[in-house]
Amino acid sequence: GENVEQHPSTLSVQEGDSAVIKCTYSDSASNYFPWYKQELGKRPQLIIDIRSNVGEKKDQRIAVTLNKTAKHFSLHITETQPEDSAVYFCAASKTDSGGSNYKLTFGKGTLLTVNP
Amino acid sequence: EAQVTQNPRYLITVTGKKLTVTCSQNMNHEYMSWYRQDPGLGLRQIYYSMNVEVTDKGDVPEGYKVSRKEKRNFPLILESPSPNQTSLYFCASSFWEGSYEQYFGPGTRLTVT
């Protein structure tokens, strides 16, 4: 089955700096890569996703890049703010027999701390 | 309000005492899923359901059962809980096509002594 490795497990940055979290996946058939943010004591929420026909996607201060050849994808957060502090999870999935990408394999998470 | 609800939110029980954690969504989603979250292990899928009466095992199904008799409900059943099932459990739902965003419930913290 799919295996997703996520690094680093913890990341501490100063407010205003950039943060980068990297993930690698094992199944070359995977074609959908979402990122979820989980604040302390809260539920995970989708912040951005990318499909394998796209190399990069941006949404304000966050961006995701995908390198299909190397089987890795990264989350980039610019101009970090204290409210960006959370655990971030990457995930990967491939299209199933029903035509959906519902079954996700998650990385183990990165605890991002943004220091004021 | 569109939401996924879980009950109970917190549960302390003893080894071997059967329990059910309920999950309900009001968004008419086809897909529903159960995850467990453990420190350092991330989110691991237990079971998922593609629609009513259609379920399949995820990555860590041992010790759990599910059923999907109605589209909105997807209960998680622990027939004989053991201490290694102490965890934070999340239910999630999603549409079958289009956006694959999974909407998570608030979580159920289960402790088995």
Side-chain angles (χ1 to χ4, degrees), chain B residues 25 28-32 49-55 67-74:
Chain B
Q25 51 92 6
N28 202 35
H29 286 166
E30 291 86 4
Y31 274 97
M32 297 186 74
S49 169
M50 294 75 81
N51 215 322
V52 175
E53 303 291 1
V54 183
T55 63
S67 67
R68 186 94 180 272
K69 300 189 185 304
E70 303 171 282
K71 194 172 186 179
R72 63 183 292 130
N73 296 322
F74 190 44

Side-chain angles (χ1 to χ4, degrees), chain A:
Chain A
E2 176 68 276
N3 183 49
V4 177
E5 299 282 343
Q6 183 171 346
H7 298 280
S9 56
T10 61
L11 179 60
S12 181
V13 300
Q14 290 299 124
E15 182 176 0
D17 288 349
S18 295
V20 180
I21 302 170
K22 299 182 179 180
C23 289
T24 60
Y25 60 98
S26 61
D27 191 342
S28 58
S30 289
N31 56 4
Y32 173 65
F33 308 94
W35 286 88
Y36 282 79
K37 174 184 180 183
Q38 186 180 27
E39 297 177 0
L40 185 63
K42 300 290 182 64
R43 69 193 78 187
Q45 291 187 297
L46 180 72
I47 56 171
I48 195 167
D49 57 11
I50 191 167
R51 306 194 185 194
S52 60
N53 58 348
V54 176
E56 183 177 3
K57 184 177 179 180
K58 290 183 179 180
D59 183 2
Q60 300 183 350
R61 296 186 298 108
I62 60 173
V64 57
T65 58
L66 171 66
N67 183 326
K68 287 191 296 181
T69 302
K71 290 191 285 188
H72 70 69
F73 56 111
S74 300
L75 178 70
H76 305 253
I77 306 175
T78 59
E79 301 173 18
T80 53
Q81 302 167 2
E83 52 264 39
D84 294 329
S85 295
V87 177
Y88 291 81
F89 293 99
C90 64
S93 80
K94 61 184 177 184
T95 306
D96 62 21
S97 57
S100 179
N101 281 81
Y102 183 76
K103 190 178 188 311
L104 296 176
T105 299
F106 283 87
K108 293 182 179 180
T110 296
L111 174 61
L112 172 65
T113 303
V114 180
N115 302 299

Side-chain angles (χ1 to χ4, degrees), chain B residues 45-81:
Chain B
Q45 191 175 53
I46 302 170
Y47 269 95
Y48 64 102
S49 169
M50 294 75 81
N51 215 322
V52 175
E53 303 291 1
V54 183
T55 63
D56 205 352
K57 296 178 181 179
D59 298 318
V60 288
E62 294 78 19
Y64 305 94
K65 288 177 58 177
V66 294
S67 67
R68 186 94 180 272
K69 300 189 185 304
E70 303 171 282
K71 194 172 186 179
R72 63 183 292 130
N73 296 322
F74 190 44
L76 179 69
I77 303 160
L78 284 72
E79 294 269 3
S80 183

Side-chain angles (χ1 to χ4, degrees), chain B residues 4 7 18 23 42-43 63-65:
Chain B
V4 179
N7 282 292
K18 181 180 179 180
C23 174
L43 291 156
Y64 305 94
K65 288 177 58 177

